[in-house]
Amino acid sequence: MSYIDGFVAAVPTANRDAYLKQAKLAAEVFKQNGATEVVECWGDDVPEGKLTSFSMAVKREPNETVIFSWIHWPDKKTRDAGMKKSMEDPRLQPSVNPMPFDGKRLIYGGFEVILRA
């Protein structure tokens, strides 16, 4: 069954181009290591919540935009091996390619796909 890695973060709005540049490079690396698709979404209609919301979850500041992204893998075994290789890839090392956002506020999780309609 397919496997998804999902991500939500707050990116300084002024860093949109830098984020997209990094995302394109990361997508290339993930796909070289077995991912079938990488999707990056820039927040456009992300309402503020009273109890919970994307913005609250990542502690979005006024000058930031919420991103929502995912990596599709054919299965968890491919994901485990591909993610390990991707994280070891020199092109994705913070010293070479620093994140254009606060990684401490990145929300991440791996998910087994249970329905695709």
Side-chain angles (χ1 to χ4, degrees):
M1 185 58 84
S2 294
Y3 201 82
I4 302 289
D5 281 314
F7 308 86
V8 179
V11 177
T13 303
N15 288 357
R16 181 179 169 139
D17 290 342
Y19 178 81
L20 185 56
K21 180 179 178 185
Q22 183 188 49
K24 286 177 180 178
L25 174 63
E28 180 181 314
V29 172
F30 291 130
K31 289 181 92 174
Q32 287 173 355
N33 289 303
T36 58
E37 179 181 42
V38 177
V39 177
E40 293 287 344
C41 305
W42 190 260
D44 179 56
D45 184 12
V46 185
E48 294 292 331
K50 292 187 181 189
L51 292 177
T52 62
S53 69
F54 282 114
S55 294
M56 292 169 71
V58 296
K59 298 184 178 181
R60 185 187 66 81
E61 296 176 7
N63 65 335
E64 295 177 324
T65 300
V66 174
I67 62 94
F68 175 59
S69 61
W70 64 91
I71 305 169
H72 180 260
W73 304 90
D75 53 57
K76 189 170 189 305
K77 182 178 177 183
T78 303
R79 178 271 199 159
D80 289 348
M83 187 60 82
K84 182 178 185 321
K85 287 179 186 175
S86 296
M87 292 298 102
E88 293 170 351
D89 192 294
R91 296 170 290 177
L92 298 186
Q93 298 308 305
S95 59
V96 175
N97 191 8
M99 287 192 289
F101 62 92
D102 181 1
K104 293 176 187 166
R105 293 185 285 140
L106 170 71
I107 297 173
Y108 160 84
F111 301 86
E112 178 185 349
V113 176
I114 61 171
L115 173 69
R116 186 170 218 146

